[in-house]
PDB file of all heavy atoms in Angstrom:
ATOM      1  N   VAL H   8     195.771  37.066   9.610  1.00  0.00           N
ATOM      2  CA  VAL H   8     196.106  36.788  11.007  1.00  0.00           C
ATOM      3  C   VAL H   8     194.844  36.794  11.866  1.00  0.00           C
ATOM      4  O   VAL H   8     194.593  35.867  12.647  1.00  0.00           O
ATOM      5  CB  VAL H   8     197.126  37.815  11.534  1.00  0.00           C
ATOM      6  CG1 VAL H   8     197.237  37.736  13.060  1.00  0.00           C
ATOM      7  CG2 VAL H   8     198.497  37.585  10.909  1.00  0.00           C
ATOM      8  N   TYR H  31     212.809  50.325  16.104  1.00  0.00           N
ATOM      9  CA  TYR H  31     213.944  51.248  16.111  1.00  0.00           C
ATOM     10  C   TYR H  31     214.979  50.693  15.151  1.00  0.00           C
ATOM     11  O   TYR H  31     215.416  49.560  15.291  1.00  0.00           O
ATOM     12  CB  TYR H  31     214.524  51.394  17.526  1.00  0.00           C
ATOM     13  CG  TYR H  31     213.510  51.905  18.515  1.00  0.00           C
ATOM     14  CD1 TYR H  31     212.633  51.024  19.144  1.00  0.00           C
ATOM     15  CD2 TYR H  31     213.404  53.266  18.790  1.00  0.00           C
ATOM     16  CE1 TYR H  31     211.679  51.488  20.037  1.00  0.00           C
ATOM     17  CE2 TYR H  31     212.454  53.739  19.692  1.00  0.00           C
ATOM     18  CZ  TYR H  31     211.603  52.839  20.313  1.00  0.00           C
ATOM     19  OH  TYR H  31     210.657  53.298  21.192  1.00  0.00           O
ATOM     20  N   CYS H 197     185.369  43.933 -12.743  1.00  0.00           N
ATOM     21  CA  CYS H 197     183.956  43.814 -13.081  1.00  0.00           C
ATOM     22  C   CYS H 197     183.756  44.051 -14.570  1.00  0.00           C
ATOM     23  O   CYS H 197     184.283  45.017 -15.132  1.00  0.00           O
ATOM     24  CB  CYS H 197     183.145  44.827 -12.279  1.00  0.00           C
ATOM     25  SG  CYS H 197     181.410  44.941 -12.755  1.00  0.00           S
ATOM     26  N   ALA H 209     192.957  36.568 -15.423  1.00  0.00           N
ATOM     27  CA  ALA H 209     193.163  37.368 -14.215  1.00  0.00           C
ATOM     28  C   ALA H 209     194.284  36.784 -13.374  1.00  0.00           C
ATOM     29  O   ALA H 209     194.422  35.562 -13.271  1.00  0.00           O
ATOM     30  CB  ALA H 209     191.871  37.420 -13.395  1.00  0.00           C
ATOM     31  N   ILE H 224     179.511  48.309  -8.019  1.00  0.00           N
ATOM     32  CA  ILE H 224     180.144  49.351  -7.208  1.00  0.00           C
ATOM     33  C   ILE H 224     179.332  49.614  -5.945  1.00  0.00           C
ATOM     34  O   ILE H 224     179.887  49.745  -4.851  1.00  0.00           O
ATOM     35  CB  ILE H 224     180.330  50.637  -8.041  1.00  0.00           C
ATOM     36  CG1 ILE H 224     181.480  50.438  -9.035  1.00  0.00           C
ATOM     37  CG2 ILE H 224     180.615  51.850  -7.144  1.00  0.00           C
ATOM     38  CD1 ILE H 224     181.593  51.537 -10.067  1.00  0.00           C
TER      39      ILE H 224
END
Side-chain angles (χ1 to χ4, degrees):
V8 167
Y31 301 85
C197 172
I224 286 170

